């Protein structure tokens, strides 16, 4: 033989299972106070009522629930899809009134609603999924090519709302499961 196979020997790594390491602790996430409520919404001169998530610290826009998109159930609550609608120029101080721009162009976002009761259950049980660590990581690392930053984090007495960019083709896990990775 022209090749001595022994020089191509690659030793196998020992198959020893090491205990899992604790995840890197990220800073405690920060959130603004807000809630979901019915708000006046003006579109093409007509006034409607719409269900919205409002950040009390920054009411210059609201996340209006998109009734054309179906919510997705999660372990801690669900994900809903919302349209980012600016505050109406006619809104008085302290008034929550929003208006769809004349061009009708609105950004869509995904809002993950995590119930505080479920978060407490997961953390007490020591589950690997920790939404507070997840949000803390998103706020700490920020938006880059490998991780989405959250646009907003809002909380009330029932939910932690994590507002993230909308991914029109779905998340990575869904793309892999559904075989839509285009040869990946």
């Amino acid at each position: 033989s022209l090749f001595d196979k022994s020089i191509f020997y690659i030793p196998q790594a020992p198959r020893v299972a090491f205990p899992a390491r604790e995840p890197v602790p990220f800073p405690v996430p920060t959130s603004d106070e807000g809630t979901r409520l019915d708000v006046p919404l003006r579109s093409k001169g007509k006034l409607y009522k719409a269900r919205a998530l409002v950040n009390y610290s920054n009411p210059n826009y609201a996340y209006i629930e998109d009734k054309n998109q179906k919510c997705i159930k999660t372990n801690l609550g669900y994900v809903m899809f919302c349209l980012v609608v600016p505050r109406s120029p006619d809104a008085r101080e302290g008034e929550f009134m929003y208006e769809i721009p004349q061009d009708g162009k609105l950004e869509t976002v995904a809002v993950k609603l995590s119930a505080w009761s479920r978060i407490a259950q997961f953390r007490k049980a020591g589950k690997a999924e920790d939404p507070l660590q997840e949000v803390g990581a998103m706020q700490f690392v920020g938006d880059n090519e490998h991780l989405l930053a959250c646009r907003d984090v809002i909380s009330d007495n029932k939910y932690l709302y994590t507002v993230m960019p909308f991914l029109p083709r779905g998340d990575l896990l869904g793309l892999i499961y559904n075989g839509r990775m285009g040869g990946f």
Side-chain angles (χ1 to χ4, degrees):
S1 165
L2 295 173
F3 297 104
D4 180 5
K5 291 182 183 175
S6 65
I7 66 169
F8 295 106
Y9 173 73
I10 300 172
Q12 295 292 319
R15 295 181 184 237
V16 177
F18 294 100
R21 291 187 42 106
E22 289 294 315
V24 174
F26 287 99
V28 175
T30 58
S31 66
D32 293 322
E33 189 177 335
T35 195
R36 289 169 64 200
L37 62 147
D38 291 327
V39 297
L41 176 67
R42 184 178 297 142
S43 178
K44 297 179 182 175
K46 294 184 180 178
L47 201 58
Y48 302 93
K49 280 229 180 267
R51 191 76 172 156
L53 173 61
V54 176
N55 181 336
Y56 294 149
S57 298
N58 186 3
N60 293 327
Y61 54 87
Y63 305 108
I64 306 289
E65 295 179 21
D66 186 349
K67 298 296 181 188
N68 296 321
Q69 297 274 358
K70 193 173 183 177
C71 292
I72 300 169
K73 188 170 174 18
T74 68
N75 288 334
L76 299 164
Y78 58 98
V79 175
M80 67 180 181
F81 300 97
C82 297
L83 303 169
V84 182
V85 180
R87 191 168 182 205
S88 172
D90 299 334
R92 293 186 296 270
E93 183 68 32
E95 182 182 28
F96 299 119
M97 178 193 258
Y98 299 90
E99 188 168 333
I100 294 181
Q102 291 294 330
D103 63 9
K105 292 183 181 177
L106 296 171
E107 176 188 3
T108 301
V109 293
V111 180
K112 185 176 184 180
L113 289 81
S114 301
W116 284 113
S117 59
R118 294 289 292 155
I119 291 171
Q121 288 173 352
F122 267 58
R123 297 191 90 201
K124 186 176 180 182
K127 300 273 187 181
E129 184 178 351
D130 184 342
L132 298 182
Q133 280 285 310
E134 177 185 356
V135 173
M138 291 169 73
Q139 288 178 330
F140 181 75
V141 176
D143 204 10
N144 67 56
E145 64 180 299
H146 302 294
L147 182 72
L148 288 174
C150 37
R151 177 188 171 121
D152 211 347
V153 180
I154 302 168
S155 61
D156 62 16
N157 61 353
K158 191 171 180 181
Y159 290 105
L160 175 67
Y161 305 93
T162 309
V163 182
M164 300 169 286
F166 173 69
L167 303 173
R169 292 189 60 207
D171 66 354
L172 180 60
L173 187 59
L175 290 172
I176 292 170
Y177 279 145
N178 295 325
R180 296 189 323 231
M181 288 297 291
F184 176 70

